[in-house]
Amino acid sequence: MRIVSEGCPVLLYLNLSHTDITNGTLRLLSRGFPNLQYLSLAYCRKFTDKGLQYLGSGRGCHKLIYLDISGCLQISVEGFRNIANSCSGIQHLIINEMPTLTDRCIQALAEKCKQIVSVEFNESPHVSDTGFKALAQCKLVKMKIQGSNRITDLSFKLMSKFWPHMKRISVADCQKITDVGLKLIASLDDIIVLNLSDCMRISDAGIKTFVDGSSGSKIRELSLANCSYITDSAVIKIAQRYCSTIYHLFALDTLGKQWKIKEITISECRQISDAGIKKFCIDLRKLEYIDFSYCHQLSNNSLKYLTFNCHRLTSLSMAGCSKITDTGIQFVAAGCTYLHYLDISGCINITDKGLKCLIKGCLQLRILKMPLFRSLKRAIFGSLGNLPRVQRLPSSKSAVHRTVS
């Protein structure tokens, strides 16, 4: 680092993640890189709270606007206070996989860091609404926290009150978020990304309220994967409300009229039916990617509607869909000539008959993930292996992966 500091005094971006840097390195940063703006210390665990104090010594890293300290479990409340004293101009803060992160840590940081506009606290289970309330004086436009049972609808209330220009919200696997929270943010004007994956309490009512709100027609990405109470009713409402400004819709959507949609994920949405798939794919001529893994209720009919209408599909995932049979694979082989990726893991009713059709019809297939079933004969594996574009990948105990070169 000393050599770098001597040769690159105007360095703006520095990624030290997963290295064995110590307090001495942080002291060197403050002396040798006064113009540093982007710094990643993710998963560096040999520096201490005292080292963070060095960031403000000498010429200091006072121009720092981006800081990633994910996985730095050794940082205590005092360390966050040192960051605030040294780098008060931080705008983008990334603190993922930090089980030691608490509301007190965020409060210590927020005392002087008033310019924060985006935060990520994924896999930080001890962060609660109180931590977000400490950021009330900041001008947040992006918040991302996943896997926290302490985040409730109160955080959405804080958004509506303190952060009117919020654009990106991700609260995946935050089990206490409900339809009430969606009602609270329905008045926000600028939301373009909303990720509610695995928020099991979200239902059609909440989605309809949000879709009818100020940001309803502006959403670019909507993720509702594994929201088990969402049905075709919400899907149809989304299709009716959204304009062609949507580019990705992650989860259940009958976006039949949104012809620009290219990527859709509806995995684990168990109340989406074949009828919903039929409505959404009628005009989706440009669809390239779809994932409806573990939608056990979907059958060959869904594949029929997809393959008859969406000829540009390059990636198709239907892992765990036990109702899919050789008939469905025949639809894929006939209609998806551009297919590069196919995941049929857990599709227990597919036999070598279906795979033979796949080999003949999908000549551009590069990755095939499929199970080891008794219904599959050794001959079919031989057929795959003999294809010049297929090579083996390391296989798990339950599945065989084949990659096309």
Side-chain angles (χ1 to χ4, degrees), residues 1 4-5 7-16 29 32-40 60-68:
M1 285 303 301
V4 174
S5 66
C8 306
V10 294
L11 194 68
L12 299 178
Y13 179 94
L14 183 59
N15 186 348
L16 297 173
L29 290 182
F33 303 101
N35 296 306
L36 197 63
Q37 295 184 17
Y38 298 83
L39 176 62
S40 175
C61 296
H62 303 301
K63 295 183 180 180
L64 205 64
I65 60 174
Y66 175 100
L67 179 63
D68 186 347

Side-chain angles (χ1 to χ4, degrees), residues 203-204 207-208 211 230-239 252:
S203 71
D204 291 348
I207 295 300
K208 290 177 180 179
V211 166
I230 300 296
T231 70
D232 290 343
S233 176
V235 164
I236 294 170
K237 180 64 177 179
I238 293 169
L252 18 90

Side-chain angles (χ1 to χ4, degrees), residues 151-154 156-157 171 174-187 194 196 198-213 224 227-231 234 252:
I151 296 297
T152 71
D153 294 330
L154 178 58
F156 279 29
K157 184 176 182 180
V171 288
C174 293
Q175 299 295 327
K176 292 186 177 179
I177 299 297
T178 71
D179 292 338
V180 174
L182 293 181
K183 183 178 181 179
L184 290 168
I185 62 170
S187 60
L194 180 61
L196 299 168
D198 297 298
C199 293
M200 304 297 288
R201 299 186 183 186
I202 299 297
S203 71
D204 291 348
I207 295 300
K208 290 177 180 179
T209 299
F210 176 77
V211 166
D212 283 333
L224 302 169
C227 293
S228 55
Y229 291 116
I230 300 296
T231 70
L252 18 90

Side-chain angles (χ1 to χ4, degrees), residues 217-339:
S217 61
K218 300 176 183 178
I219 285 286
R220 302 291 194 277
E221 299 179 13
L222 177 60
S223 179
L224 302 169
N226 200 27
C227 293
S228 55
Y229 291 116
I230 300 296
T231 70
D232 290 343
S233 176
V235 164
I236 294 170
K237 180 64 177 179
I238 293 169
Q240 292 172 342
R241 179 69 168 98
Y242 288 168
C243 303
S244 58
T245 54
I246 303 180
Y247 301 130
H248 306 279
L249 180 42
F250 300 114
L252 18 90
D253 345 296
T254 296
L255 286 149
K257 299 179 181 179
Q258 314 314 323
W259 57 273
K260 288 188 177 182
I261 297 294
K262 292 185 177 181
E263 301 185 17
I264 296 174
T265 299
I266 53 175
S267 59
E268 299 186 76
C269 292
R270 295 182 176 88
Q271 296 194 51
I272 301 302
S273 66
D274 288 334
I277 294 292
K278 181 180 180 180
K279 291 178 181 178
F280 111 77
C281 72
I282 291 175
D283 294 317
L284 279 182
R285 308 296 181 185
K286 294 188 176 183
L287 188 67
E288 297 176 0
Y289 171 101
I290 185 167
D291 181 352
F292 56 86
S293 300
Y294 304 103
C295 291
H296 304 290
Q297 73 282 5
L298 297 183
S299 69
N300 293 330
N301 285 330
S302 288
L303 285 179
K304 180 175 71 173
Y305 303 138
L306 279 169
T307 57
F308 283 10
N309 293 283
C310 309
H311 298 293
R312 296 189 182 186
L313 277 179
T314 60
S315 179
L316 174 59
S317 297
M318 49 184 171
C321 294
S322 56
K323 290 186 177 182
I324 301 296
T325 68
D326 291 336
T327 300
I329 295 300
Q330 289 172 346
F331 289 140
V332 173
C336 300
T337 55
Y338 297 106
L339 200 66

